[in-house]
Amino acid sequence: MNPQAIRNTLAVVLIALCALPAPDAPAYAQFPPLLMQNANQAPRPEPADRWRLEFHDAADSDGIISFRLWVHEESPMHVDVPIRKGESDNEIATAARDALAGRLGERYMAVLVNGDDVVITARRGSPRFTVELLRDTALDVDVDVDRD
């Protein structure tokens, strides 16, 4: 098969895969690096100084929770939180806090509240930001993302 035929076949397969339903996420979120070559072209949600992530229920399967973070006038960042079957909502929230804090650095503070919520706050002088849930593939884990 020639290279052009391979590229065309791959494109058809990727488009077909994107037509599959993805719970709580737009279809393009399943393959962000492939289908959103320039994520800056996506519409930016309204930023805030503080966001709350609420995690509900234990994981009935392994999976990944993916977030996109938009810091004012910067390129968006993707953060993946791996989840293992049997992890509680408190363990998932702790893993999410650690992953988000590591990615955001010193300009933002991510803390656990009530064990199963993560609150992310812009430190004084830091730009406003947005947090989006792209996908949640762990069964029975629900994530709510809200301005706080």
Side-chain angles (χ1 to χ4, degrees):
M1 212 180 235
N2 69 35
Q4 183 61 40
I6 293 171
R7 281 193 293 275
N8 290 344
T9 303
L10 181 59
V12 169
V13 169
L14 288 174
I15 290 169
L17 287 173
C18 288
L20 297 174
D24 299 323
Y28 67 80
Q30 295 179 46
F31 307 98
L34 297 174
L35 299 178
M36 290 187 61
Q37 293 178 4
N38 187 356
N40 290 326
Q41 294 175 351
R44 287 187 182 214
E46 197 63 37
D49 291 324
R50 185 176 164 124
W51 288 85
R52 180 178 295 264
L53 313 176
E54 298 175 8
F55 298 89
H56 308 282
D57 301 323
D60 281 346
S61 71
D62 290 351
I64 294 177
I65 300 174
S66 295
F67 297 98
R68 179 170 46 203
L69 295 100
W70 301 79
V71 175
H72 181 70
E73 295 186 6
E74 294 180 16
S75 295
M77 302 176 244
H78 285 88
V79 177
D80 289 332
V81 181
I83 306 300
R84 290 187 313 267
K85 181 178 180 177
E87 284 187 323
S88 69
D89 49 359
N90 291 7
E91 292 170 315
I92 295 167
T94 300
R97 180 213 48 204
D98 295 346
L100 291 162
R103 185 74 165 124
L104 286 169
E106 296 295 318
R107 298 185 302 170
Y108 301 90
M109 181 173 53
V111 296
L112 283 176
V113 177
N114 300 325
D116 59 357
D117 291 358
V118 176
V119 175
I120 307 166
T121 307
R123 293 188 189 265
R124 189 173 190 186
S126 296
R128 296 167 54 114
F129 64 103
T130 299
V131 179
E132 291 180 277
L133 175 65
L134 291 180
R135 69 178 171 165
D136 173 6
T137 64
L139 294 178
D140 284 345
V141 175
D142 292 319
V143 184
D144 296 324
V145 178
D146 298 303
R147 286 181 187 83
D148 197 38

